Amino acid sequence: MESRLPFLTRWSARRFDVSVFTLALAVRLAALALFQARGLGDAYGRDIYFTLALSWLGRLPMPSFDATHPPLYTLLIAGVLGLLKTSSQLPVLFLQVFLGAGSVLLARRIGAFLLDEKTARLGALWLALDPAVIFFTPQLQTETLFVAMMLAFFLGLLELWDKPLSWRHAALGLWGGLCVSCRSVFGAFPAFLFWAVWRSKGFFRALFFCLVLAPGWFLPSGLWAARNYWKYRQLVPLSGQMGWTLYEGFSLDREVVRNHPMEMTAEAKRMGVGERAVGAYFFARWKTFVRENPLQSAAIVVGKIILYWRPWLYDPYTGWQRAVMGVYFTVLFACALFGARTALASRAPWGPVWAALVYHTAVHAVFMTSLRYRVPLEPFLCLLAAAGVAPYLAFRVGSPRA
């Protein structure tokens, strides 16, 4: 089959990158056109980022509390809208299309550190066509920006993996801190990264590695927390809704999770809990539940790990969408498991990738669990799946069996 796939081996890296970027761009532009034509962006709903950005630009009234979400994605939207002097969503969505296509090139370069060139290219091609990441590209959500930023972080991490500690590691820490300002759940990743470096290079190397990363890692969230304290006299390091997210998704019953937001809103109103205090209120409710129901809480955590990795979609998607994506994720996971055997047997620095897989699983075993929270792992799954499939592409079509 190798003779039918010259782009995996015979094309130059430049020609392949241009081709796979163009393919990824075309697919994402088609998805954007479909979403716009059918109004799917509004149908699937979106968070408050776009509205907040318009408020920060003075085009909508400022809400009473604007620290409900990490600030970076809102700042990006506000920057695009302010620069172009528009209130249209389209420039932001076009930017996300390019970010999504660029992520494919980042994944190919990461694959070059971890795999051979052919397999890295196959993983990039897989990611270019991956329906999970494509689905979120034309939506005003953080997924596309965070995936691009996180891949840039991992590329920098792998480039510096065997280098002496320097200012470049400190700069990488700052980039990681900006990733946290896009998606707050990434905040505790250095603890798992410490484990990966420790296993590879020893305890003291891991300790100094993370100490060099730490100042930059905490700087963006520290500045955001200082701004929030100055404005509200309340300490909000990243997101004022973390307690809400904890309590909202801490159940294995999808009906409960579906109804929780309405019930929690009604409870907060009934108890007189204001918007600034709602996160702390439900964090306290979550702690009380865990303390009073330790065995049930442990079962929920284990169950949420299974839910996080289940191959079929959550509601409210249609039956055919769930069937198609269930088949796709089953194939992806199966191929990735085969690829994991190859990765574990190699000497490539896979440690940070394993740390990311374990970390995101652990976080969403407690916080809200759904398909969108597995999307940041999709590039790594595509690379692993490529590693599982690539050995079977080494035979020419029509060649006799060995």
Side-chain angles (χ1 to χ4, degrees), residues 118-372:
K118 179 184 75 173
T119 309
R121 293 184 181 190
L122 182 61
L125 179 63
W126 196 315
L127 182 61
L129 301 174
D130 181 88
V133 293
I134 293 169
F135 175 77
F136 286 98
T137 304
Q139 300 188 58
L140 290 169
Q141 304 285 14
T142 59
E143 273 68 30
T144 302
L145 175 62
F146 179 68
V147 167
M149 293 184 67
M150 190 189 71
L151 287 176
F153 172 80
F154 273 86
L155 178 59
L157 179 63
L158 291 172
E159 288 178 342
L160 297 175
W161 187 251
D162 292 320
K163 300 289 196 307
L165 294 176
S166 68
W167 66 269
R168 295 177 65 193
H169 291 79
L172 180 67
L174 178 59
W175 184 257
L178 291 173
C179 292
V180 176
S181 295
C182 179
R183 200 72 171 266
S184 58
V185 292
F186 197 55
F189 179 66
F192 287 72
L193 181 59
F194 174 86
W195 166 78
V197 181
W198 185 359
R199 282 180 55 86
S200 175
K201 301 180 181 300
F203 176 82
F204 288 105
R205 167 72 179 188
L207 178 63
F208 289 118
F209 189 94
C210 289
L211 284 176
V212 172
L213 258 64
W217 193 275
F218 293 109
L219 179 61
S221 54
L223 293 174
W224 178 241
R227 175 263 190 191
N228 292 332
Y229 188 80
W230 173 81
K231 187 172 183 178
Y232 299 113
R233 290 297 183 265
Q234 179 179 342
L235 184 61
V236 184
L238 283 168
S239 168
Q241 67 162 6
M242 292 184 71
W244 175 287
T245 307
L246 265 174
Y247 191 73
E248 177 189 11
F250 203 68
S251 173
L252 301 179
D253 188 327
R254 294 303 300 171
E255 190 67 27
V256 170
V257 174
R258 189 182 301 112
N259 294 329
H260 246 174
M262 292 76 77
E263 295 172 355
M264 292 165 67
T265 300
E267 179 179 343
K269 185 177 181 180
R270 186 174 63 252
M271 300 299 294
V273 180
E275 189 175 12
R276 298 185 192 182
V278 72
Y281 174 81
F282 284 109
F283 181 61
R285 293 274 279 119
W286 177 82
K287 287 195 299 182
T288 299
F289 178 86
V290 172
R291 185 172 60 250
E292 294 177 353
N293 306 277
L295 293 180
Q296 184 181 354
S297 298
I300 289 173
V301 169
V302 173
K304 280 167 67 66
I305 291 174
I306 297 171
L307 286 176
Y308 185 69
W309 285 103
R310 77 180 195 177
W312 58 93
L313 300 180
Y314 297 80
D315 48 57
Y317 300 103
T318 63
W320 75 265
Q321 287 174 319
R322 299 175 80 175
V324 169
M325 291 305 296
V327 171
Y328 171 73
F329 282 125
T330 299
V331 172
L332 176 67
F333 292 169
C335 294
L337 285 174
F338 276 103
R341 295 192 310 172
T342 301
L344 287 168
S346 75
R347 295 186 178 182
W350 279 93
V353 174
W354 306 135
L357 293 170
V358 173
Y359 173 70
H360 280 83
T361 302
V363 167
H364 293 292
V366 182
F367 284 89
M368 189 68 180
T369 305
S370 74
L371 169 67
R372 64 178 292 196

Side-chain angles (χ1 to χ4, degrees), residues 20-80:
V20 77
F21 178 83
T22 302
L23 173 65
L25 192 66
V27 172
R28 283 153 180 78
L29 282 172
L32 176 58
L34 177 65
F35 266 67
Q36 290 296 305
R38 297 192 177 181
L40 296 179
D42 293 326
Y44 287 117
R46 62 171 185 261
D47 288 324
I48 199 173
Y49 301 104
F50 192 81
T51 304
L52 270 181
L54 291 175
S55 299
W56 287 0
L57 291 170
R59 300 174 190 174
L60 286 177
M62 184 66 71
S64 60
F65 185 62
D66 68 349
T68 54
H69 291 68
L72 191 66
Y73 186 53
T74 304
L75 284 171
L76 174 71
I77 296 173
V80 171

